[in-house]
Amino acid sequence: ASVPGMSKIETSFPKAKGVYYFFAAFDLVLRAAWVLTISNLVFIDPGFPRLIFVMIISYLEIFRRGLWNILRI
């Protein structure tokens, strides 16, 4: 339920707005990392297997989605 005069952030996280903004920034970084997996412009060490890189980013993407499911409930 929304409270008149208060934003969704203020009603969901009345004492922890900083935590919400931290996770929003973290979300942005993880989204940018995910974009690297679908582009050919990945600047990683040539000795580092691309499959391992994609696997790590995929696990981080699952974590990111789970985090927002928890925060939005």
Side-chain angles (χ1 to χ4, degrees):
S2 63
V3 178
M6 294 183 76
S7 70
K8 184 175 181 177
I9 295 171
E10 291 171 337
T11 57
S12 299
F13 300 96
K15 297 181 181 174
K17 278 198 281 188
V19 172
Y20 183 85
Y21 290 123
F22 170 78
F23 285 129
F26 187 63
D27 179 65
L28 183 64
V29 170
L30 288 180
R31 282 179 186 253
W34 177 80
V35 168
L36 291 176
T37 65
I38 61 172
S39 70
N40 289 329
L41 302 174
V42 178
F43 301 106
I44 59 174
D45 183 16
F48 191 73
R50 180 169 172 78
L51 184 62
I52 301 293
F53 175 74
V54 170
M55 183 184 72
I56 292 168
I57 297 300
S58 297
Y59 285 133
L60 289 173
E61 177 67 14
I62 292 168
F63 174 74
R64 183 192 71 79
R65 289 175 185 235
L67 179 71
W68 282 107
N69 282 331
I70 292 169
L71 290 176
R72 289 184 182 181
I73 290 178

